[in-house]
Amino acid sequence: MPIKVTDYKWEETESTVHISVPLKGVKKDKADIYSNDLLVKVNFPPYLFEVDLFAAVDDEASTAVIGNSTVDFTLTKRVPSLWTRLQAEGDHAQLLQRRQDAEERKREQLKQLQEDRRAKEQDVNRLAVQKQMQIEEERRAAVEAARQSEISKGSIFEQAKKEKGFFFFFFP
């Protein structure tokens, strides 16, 4: 069972919350961070830090930086206000339901992000194909113009032969 970290530090402003979690001698590459709009969690075996936040934060605008001895969070509050406490209150069932709802929002957010990336990639591919088709069409048009030019040169020669009575003889 993990050892819960309780010696973290936090402070707040109207718009942000700063949390500093000591890594307790564990290498920074061993720290695993997870967050959503209502939960911050750092797992660095055998230690675990997790806090159900008092109110929602903007997960996309928030940051986590792993230093040599701490993990520092800067969380942007969704609604600017002073919380006066970091942790949400409620019984176990309420906090669990709150976490599950936040997890579902995070999954939907990630799903939408993946769909947006896929759509953007498809758009880029579609534009590349259209550009290639345009280049090929321009090449075909140039070849056709050259062909028509050669045909017209030949027909001018034939027409001049008929009108002027020119005959060309070739001697070997």
Side-chain angles (χ1 to χ4, degrees):
M1 182 150 182
I3 301 168
K4 290 201 176 225
V5 175
T6 58
D7 59 341
Y8 61 92
K9 295 177 184 170
W10 78 282
E11 57 186 36
E12 69 175 327
T13 66
E14 286 275 331
S15 59
T16 60
V17 174
H18 301 280
I19 305 171
S20 182
V21 180
L23 287 177
K24 301 189 177 273
V26 175
K27 291 183 179 181
K28 66 181 181 179
D29 61 337
K30 299 291 183 189
D32 181 35
I33 298 173
Y34 174 79
S35 69
N36 60 40
D37 61 344
L38 293 172
L39 175 72
V40 173
K41 184 177 182 179
V42 182
N43 185 19
F44 48 109
Y47 301 100
L48 174 68
F49 170 77
E50 65 182 346
V51 62
D52 289 289
L53 298 170
F54 177 75
V57 296
D58 183 350
D59 195 41
E60 290 183 22
S62 300
T63 61
V65 178
I66 302 175
N68 288 331
S69 61
T70 62
V71 177
D72 295 310
F73 292 93
T74 302
L75 309 173
T76 303
K77 294 178 180 178
R78 223 179 249 161
V79 177
S81 67
L82 289 177
W83 292 356
T84 67
R85 65 178 185 269
L86 180 62
Q87 190 124 1
E89 292 181 344
D91 64 25
H92 180 71
Q94 290 171 327
L95 292 177
L96 184 60
Q97 183 61 50
R98 191 172 183 257
R99 274 190 190 189
Q100 289 172 344
D101 293 345
E103 287 292 321
E104 183 59 32
R105 282 191 300 277
K106 180 77 168 195
R107 275 191 293 278
E108 288 299 319
Q109 180 185 30
L110 291 174
K111 182 179 175 183
Q112 185 63 46
L113 185 62
Q114 288 175 336
E115 289 173 3
D116 291 348
R117 283 182 184 160
R118 191 174 301 121
K120 186 174 183 178
E121 185 178 316
Q122 288 174 346
D123 288 345
V124 167
N125 289 340
R126 188 178 310 108
L127 287 173
V129 168
Q130 288 173 349
K131 183 66 175 173
Q132 187 62 38
M133 288 171 64
Q134 179 185 1
I135 290 169
E136 291 297 320
E137 184 58 35
E138 289 169 359
R139 286 181 185 163
R140 272 190 288 263
V143 167
E144 182 61 26
R147 186 169 114 13
Q148 290 298 326
S149 174
E150 290 298 317
I151 290 172
S152 69
K153 285 180 188 176
S155 63
I156 290 172
F157 176 72
E158 292 295 322
Q159 186 179 10
K161 250 178 29 173
K162 288 178 185 175
E163 290 176 3
K164 307 272 185 196
F166 287 108
F167 295 98
F168 292 96
F169 295 98
F170 296 100
F171 297 100

